[in-house]
């Protein structure tokens, strides 16, 4: 089998609120075509316009090439070799950041092709499932008021969720207001459900130490992105001052960066995003690293049904039981883009069983939101 083309399709809602930390307002879909007629599907959660350029760019020289031209004519089933080919072929301008993001969508599509070619769901190709369902967590932007928090928690409980995350929004502007909203969430949920808070890098180390001290009775399952992803010293200080688990990783790519999060920042929970860290291929290295260091892996996933499905296939294979993120922003790119998107029932995802990723694009939705910069 040979790769004949790679498409990078930008989708964008007509009205984008650039002030909201909501990456589901646009999307970059990757389709890898083969001479066998199999099309692999992947996605990248990044800046779609830059990712498209990285995929489509013509070669400058031997180590500054475009991802599409690097892969055309290659066998799509040689996934590890193709990953290395993309990494080495872009090493002058790549190695980290947005180039690894772009590689992620292609890698995801290659695993989809492998699954479709062999008739197997991706999780079987990754080593098989260690569980047949996963607890979903409802993932929201933090409401501005305690009343907003209270009604949101009631809605989640009514829908059967047993885990909730609130993040970003106006967190970090006023410590008492942050503490009040977190305490309200715990009170509204009761003692059993998991509650996670995502700071979106809004605090510095002293403030985060004080916040964790004040919310210690709220029994947080984790505190995510409390500090800048580069503040290793601050994270070390924070981890020594609290028993709350610290989570980080959605802004990172490749296993080397996750090694730093473990060794230099004392991060407890690693959050690789499969559409950013280098796809399944690199996420497996991160999972192995996490196992060696006895860390929990909980992939970040705030995008379309393609990423939800990819994360499910990966999560069922993990050694330690994760929870899976499920965004409830209501963007049509998260709700309508995939015909058979995985949706949690009573707060749990079932194991996907169709070949490959097992998801199919709704081409009407693709055409409706297709965007030319
Ligand atoms: Mg986050």
């Amino acid at each position: 089998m040979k790769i004949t083309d790679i498409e990078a399709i930008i989708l964008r809602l007509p009205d984008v609120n650039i002030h909201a930390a909501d990456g589901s307002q646009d999307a970059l879909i990757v389709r890898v075509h083969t001479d066998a007629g199999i099309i692999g599907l992947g996605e990248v959660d990044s800046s779609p316009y830059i990712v498209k350029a990285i995929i489509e760019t013509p070669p400058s020289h031997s180590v500054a090439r475009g991802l599409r031209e690097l892969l055309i004519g290659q066998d799509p089933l040689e996934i590890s070799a193709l990953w290395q080919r993309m990494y080495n072929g872009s090493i002058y301008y790549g190695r980290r950041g947005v180039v690894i993001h772009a590689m992620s969508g292609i890698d995801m599509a290659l695993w989809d092709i492998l699954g479709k070619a062999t008739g197997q769901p991706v999780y079987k190709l990754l080593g098989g499932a260690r569980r047949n369902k996963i607890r979903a967590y409802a993932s929201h932007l933090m409401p501005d008021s305690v009343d907003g928090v209270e009604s949101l928690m009631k809605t989640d409980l009514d829908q059967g969720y047993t885990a909730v995350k609130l993040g970003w929004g106006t967190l970090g502007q006023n410590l008492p207001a942050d503490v009040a909203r977190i305490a309200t969430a715990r009170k509204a949920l009761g003692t059993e459900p998991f509650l996670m808070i995502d700071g979106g890098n809004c605090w510095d180390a002293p403030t985060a130490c004080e916040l964790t001290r004040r919310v210690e009775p709220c029994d947080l399952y984790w505190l995510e992105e409390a500090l800048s992803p580069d503040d290793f010293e601050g994270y070390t200080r924070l981890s020594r001052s609290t028993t709350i688990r610290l989570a980080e990783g959605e802004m990172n790519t490749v296993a080397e960066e996750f090694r730093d999060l473990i060794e230099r920042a004392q991060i407890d929970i690693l959050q690789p995003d499969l559409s950013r860290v280098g796809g399944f291929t690199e996420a497996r290295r991160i999972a192995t690293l996490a196992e060696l260091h006895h860390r929990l892996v909980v992939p970040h996933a705030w995008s379309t049904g393609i990423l939800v499905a990819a994360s499910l296939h990966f999560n069922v294979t993990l050694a330690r039981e994760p929870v899976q993120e499920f965004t409830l922003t209501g963007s049509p790119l998260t709700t309508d883009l995939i015909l058979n998107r995985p949706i949690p029932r009573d707060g749990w995802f079932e194991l996907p069983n169709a070949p490959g990723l097992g998801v199919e694009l709704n081409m009407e939705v693709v055409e409706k939101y297709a965007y030319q910069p």
Side-chain angles (χ1 to χ4, degrees), residues 165 168 198 200 224-225 250 271 300 325:
K165 187 173 85 185
W168 297 74
D198 180 355
E224 174 173 333
E225 292 214 303
E250 72 177 79
Q271 300 181 294
H300 174 264
E325 183 160 29

Side-chain angles (χ1 to χ4, degrees), residues 235-247:
Y235 268 126
T236 301
R237 185 170 160 192
L238 180 57
S239 76
R240 284 184 184 140
S241 84
T242 183
T243 59
I244 298 171
R245 278 179 288 212
L246 304 179

Side-chain angles (χ1 to χ4, degrees), residues 329-363:
T329 59
S331 160
L333 298 180
T334 64
T335 55
D336 302 342
L337 181 65
I338 297 303
L339 290 168
N340 49 349
R341 76 175 180 128
I343 300 174
R345 307 261 175 234
D346 292 326
W348 291 79
F349 284 107
E350 301 282 333
L351 192 61
N353 263 314
L357 294 175
V359 289
E360 201 183 326
L361 278 180
N362 183 335
M363 292 311 289

Side-chain angles (χ1 to χ4, degrees), residues 174-187:
N174 178 304
L175 189 63
D178 294 347
V179 171
R181 284 180 287 174
I182 295 168
T184 299
R186 172 47 77 203
K187 192 163 174 236

